């Protein structure tokens, strides 16, 4: 099967390309060569530890590269993620002494639903042997379809919002509950590396990982985030999280509307109901 250079296959590279080449192994399975650099700014202030957000981003980039460069879907489609799950399978999620984390990611399209002979719904499984595994559910929309459902959305404009507050600004906290607010910084070079008309899903995943780490003192071993609705850029986003002895159960709210939910755990084997 052909090996495809995917370096030009991304509409958004999130500042650094993490996927370098993809290879088709069977009708629905691929491999992707990935590299997570320890120089990425998300690695600070703990540059020895691999951020779970960058693992999720490598999964996202690999799926996108396969769809665009491998299957030839073209650049005129939008991938709308409905759910993303990540399991860390090692007790030592650290970079090697020198260089970044390199590996061959196994990507399996577990289910593909078609509409008018074109892929519409994707369920994709990922595995980086000995390191992490995950799953992504997504819809594939044409630019016209996406534009129709987002026609009234605000876009990033000339006025850029910047804040010195951390992404997750805790407002209230007790033994079993946290209430926080997202402090959006539109100068961020990772989450806002290209124009968007909604809160990036990866930003909400990262916020969930940060909240878990703040409560439990370590990154989550299991994290799943669902996106029932688009998050609007110019609306206040409040996080309501229930705490247990092992993880969070959070909802991201804009007014009365839930735009995302997140479940985390200190154990990679936990599967939520």
């Amino acid at each position: 099967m052909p090996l495809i250079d995917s370096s030009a296959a991304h509409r958004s590279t999130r500042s650094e390309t993490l996927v370098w080449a993809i290879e088709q192994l069977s009708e629905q399975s691929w491999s992707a060569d990935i590299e997570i650099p320890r120089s990425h700014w998300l690695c600070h202030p703990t540059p020895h530890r691999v951020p779970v957000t960058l693992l999720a981003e490598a999964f996202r980039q690999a799926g996108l590269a396969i769809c665009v460069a491998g299957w030839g879907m073209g650049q005129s489609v939008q991938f709308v993620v409905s759910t993303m799950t990540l399991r860390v399978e090692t007790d030592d999620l650290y970079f090697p002494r020198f260089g970044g984390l390199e590996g061959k990611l196994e990507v399996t399209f577990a289910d593909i639903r078609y509409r008018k002979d074109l892929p519409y719904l994707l369920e994709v499984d990922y595995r980086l042997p000995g390191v992490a595994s995950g799953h992504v559910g997504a819809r594939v929309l044409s630019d016209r379809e996406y534009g129709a459902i987002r026609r009234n959305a605000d876009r990033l404009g000339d006025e850029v919002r910047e804040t010195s507050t951390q992404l997750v600004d805790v407002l209230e906290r007790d033994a079993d509950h946290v209430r926080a607010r997202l402090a959006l910084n539109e100068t961020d070079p990772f989450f806002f590396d290209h124009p968007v008309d909604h809160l990036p899903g990866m930003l909400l995943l990262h916020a969930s990982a940060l909240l878990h780490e703040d409560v439990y003192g370590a990154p989550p071993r299991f994290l799943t985030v669902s996106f029932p609705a688009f998050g609007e850029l110019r609306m206040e986003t409040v996080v309501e999280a229930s705490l247990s002895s092992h993880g969070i159960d959070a909802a991201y709210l804009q007014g009365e509307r839930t735009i995302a939910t997140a479940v985390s755990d200190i154990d990679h084997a936990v599967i939520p109901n």
Side-chain angles (χ1 to χ4, degrees), residues 201 204-205 208 225-231 250-253 257-262:
L204 298 173
L205 182 144
S208 303
V225 185
S226 298
F227 307 97
F230 286 100
Y252 292 80
L253 308 172
R257 192 167 57 101
T258 300
I259 63 168
T261 60

Side-chain angles (χ1 to χ4, degrees), residues 27-156:
E27 184 178 356
Q28 292 186 218
S29 65
W30 296 69
S31 68
D33 293 326
I34 70 167
E35 179 184 5
I36 298 176
R38 63 190 308 149
S39 60
H40 196 288
W41 83 266
L42 278 188
C43 299
H44 300 284
T46 54
H48 64 290
R49 192 173 67 199
V50 180
V52 295
T53 304
L54 289 187
L55 283 175
E57 174 63 12
F59 292 179
R60 186 196 72 87
Q61 285 193 19
L64 180 61
I66 291 167
C67 288
V68 174
W71 282 349
M73 287 188 183
Q75 296 286 340
S76 60
V77 294
Q78 300 283 345
F79 297 88
V80 180
V81 174
S82 56
T83 184
M84 176 173 280
T85 298
L86 179 73
R87 287 184 176 85
V88 177
E89 298 177 351
T90 176
D91 293 330
D92 302 310
L93 188 57
Y94 300 116
F95 286 105
R97 183 179 179 185
F98 301 105
L101 175 68
E102 299 181 6
K104 193 170 286 290
L105 182 65
E106 301 168 359
V107 184
T108 303
F109 287 77
D111 191 20
I112 306 173
R113 304 292 176 88
Y114 291 85
R115 185 181 62 179
K116 297 180 180 178
D117 297 325
L118 296 174
Y120 172 60
L121 294 177
L122 304 175
E123 299 291 338
V124 190
D125 294 324
Y126 299 86
R127 185 165 181 267
L128 190 58
V131 179
S133 60
H135 180 84
V136 171
R139 288 181 294 160
V140 184
L141 302 179
S142 68
D143 284 346
R144 180 183 59 79
E145 291 171 325
Y146 183 85
I149 64 176
R150 298 295 294 158
R151 58 184 176 275
N152 296 321
D154 290 332
R155 268 69 172 177
L156 289 178

Side-chain angles (χ1 to χ4, degrees), residues 168-216:
V168 181
D169 181 18
V170 175
L171 305 174
E172 302 172 12
R173 181 171 176 173
D174 56 36
D176 57 6
H177 181 260
V178 169
R179 185 171 186 268
R181 176 177 52 220
L182 285 190
L184 207 63
N185 185 351
E186 293 175 358
T187 68
D188 187 287
F190 178 69
F191 301 111
F192 294 98
D193 71 330
H194 67 292
V196 295
D197 63 3
H198 62 278
L199 287 180
M202 201 59 67
L203 181 145
L204 298 173
L205 182 144
H206 185 59
S208 303
L210 290 179
L211 181 58
H212 177 101
E213 183 168 359
D214 180 65
V215 173
Y216 302 98

